[in-house]
Amino acid sequence: MTGTTPTAPGAAPRVVEGTPHALPLLLKAALPSVPGLGALPGIRKQGSELPDLALTRHDVPIDVDHVAAYDAVCGFPRKDTVPLTYPHLLAFGLHMAIMTDSAFPFPAIGTVHLENSITQHRPVAVTERVQVTARATNLRPHAKGRVFDMLTTVHAAGELVWEETSTFLRRGGGDAAAPAGAAFPEAPPTGTEWRLPGDLGRRYAAVSGDHNPIHLYPLTAKALGFPRQIAHGMWSKARCVAALENRLPDAVEVAVAFKKPVLLPGAVAFGSRPLGASGAESGPESGRESGSGYAFSLSSPRSGAPHLTGRTRDL
């Protein structure tokens, strides 16, 4: 069972007891998009401001078997610490609870994940218990509509160990003068290609709890405007991080922009290159400076069209 304790606007975060169940939240998220239902009171999404709402889970255990399943689907090695992208899963239920709250102005289905930035201050051990807090903020204009950030923090014994900013787009009423999104140094493919099976979205959904129908089957994806199912953006980021994992320090920031969807089944080309502290290319003779990192990308092996661009930065 999952419940929350109420809080007044501007007060401390609302505490979520237990683990938010993703499937009921996803069903709730779909209701505003159903013709006829979306106009009903209590289901209709309206308003133009984000609610002053933050949700927190206290004393969250990390399930070693769940981490192992995540490792397997994303390509990470088994370790005594969780992968850099794994805490996103601990917060996913909170994200959905916020986006399905009656005060949230936009339907969750149809909201596009544009960018994601994760800062790991130190690795999180699989034996730790953590506190996870999420809130939506910074609603602002975009060329194609409006964007907002979902901010997540993870603490262990009072220490901030991990934080994330996910930027989402709600299409409609765009502002051509709005600032552009994140841009990253180029990282052309370097000969590595990954062939992705048709069931990848279902496998990742089983681990992550993100059962958005655009990721599951051709029929469910076509109903939402895609030619067939697409890979999760956070799987794409995780797979890139797994490819770079043995080159990243304990304290690191990894930021990406999601470009064109990855259709399943399909193939992607991975590329990466080292960067210096200024963001310029770094050769082996220059060593690894503080603030340096890697540029990386996923693209179509056939057309070269970008699926994901990103960079790491040593802290």
Side-chain angles (χ1 to χ4, degrees), residues 16-33:
V16 176
E17 304 290 351
T19 303
H21 298 296
L23 277 175
L25 288 171
L26 283 165
L27 290 173
K28 185 178 179 182
L31 292 178
S33 302

Side-chain angles (χ1 to χ4, degrees), residues 36-235:
L37 288 181
L40 295 177
I43 296 177
R44 180 176 65 248
K45 288 292 188 176
Q46 56 188 345
S48 59
E49 300 294 331
L50 297 175
D52 186 7
L53 174 64
L55 300 181
T56 290
R57 297 176 64 201
H58 290 294
D59 199 31
V60 179
I62 295 174
D63 185 325
V64 175
D65 292 336
H66 189 245
V67 175
Y70 182 81
D71 291 341
V73 78
C74 296
F76 287 99
R78 293 286 299 274
K79 298 174 67 174
D80 59 1
T81 56
V82 305
L84 177 140
T85 48
Y86 178 81
H88 175 83
L89 272 60
L90 302 179
F92 177 71
L94 298 182
H95 296 171
M96 291 304 301
I98 290 170
M99 294 174 72
T100 56
D101 189 90
S102 59
F104 196 81
F106 312 122
I109 298 295
T111 298
V112 181
H113 196 178
L114 286 186
E115 300 170 8
N116 180 272
S117 178
I118 291 172
T119 300
Q120 177 179 272
H121 297 283
R122 68 159 175 83
V124 178
V126 295
T127 54
E128 292 190 83
R129 301 177 80 91
V130 296
Q131 172 186 303
V132 185
T133 299
R135 64 188 178 94
T137 187
N138 195 20
L139 182 64
R140 58 199 185 274
H142 184 272
K144 296 182 179 179
R146 287 179 288 176
V147 293
F148 64 91
D149 296 327
M150 189 72 74
L151 305 183
T152 303
T153 56
V154 176
H155 290 76
E159 175 191 6
L160 178 64
V161 294
W162 189 94
E163 51 191 320
E164 174 188 55
T165 301
S166 287
T167 301
F168 293 93
L169 166 69
R170 192 67 203 176
R171 296 182 187 274
D175 181 353
F184 300 102
E186 291 186 0
T190 49
T192 298
E193 292 189 11
W194 298 320
R195 301 202 63 81
L196 312 181
D199 69 347
L200 176 61
R202 299 191 293 276
R203 290 170 53 208
Y204 184 79
V207 173
S208 68
D210 184 354
H211 294 269
N212 187 322
I214 62 175
H215 304 300
L216 303 182
Y217 299 97
L219 186 62
T220 57
K222 286 178 180 178
L224 293 169
F226 294 89
R228 59 184 190 271
Q229 69 268 35
I230 64 173
H232 293 73
M234 287 305 293
W235 177 89

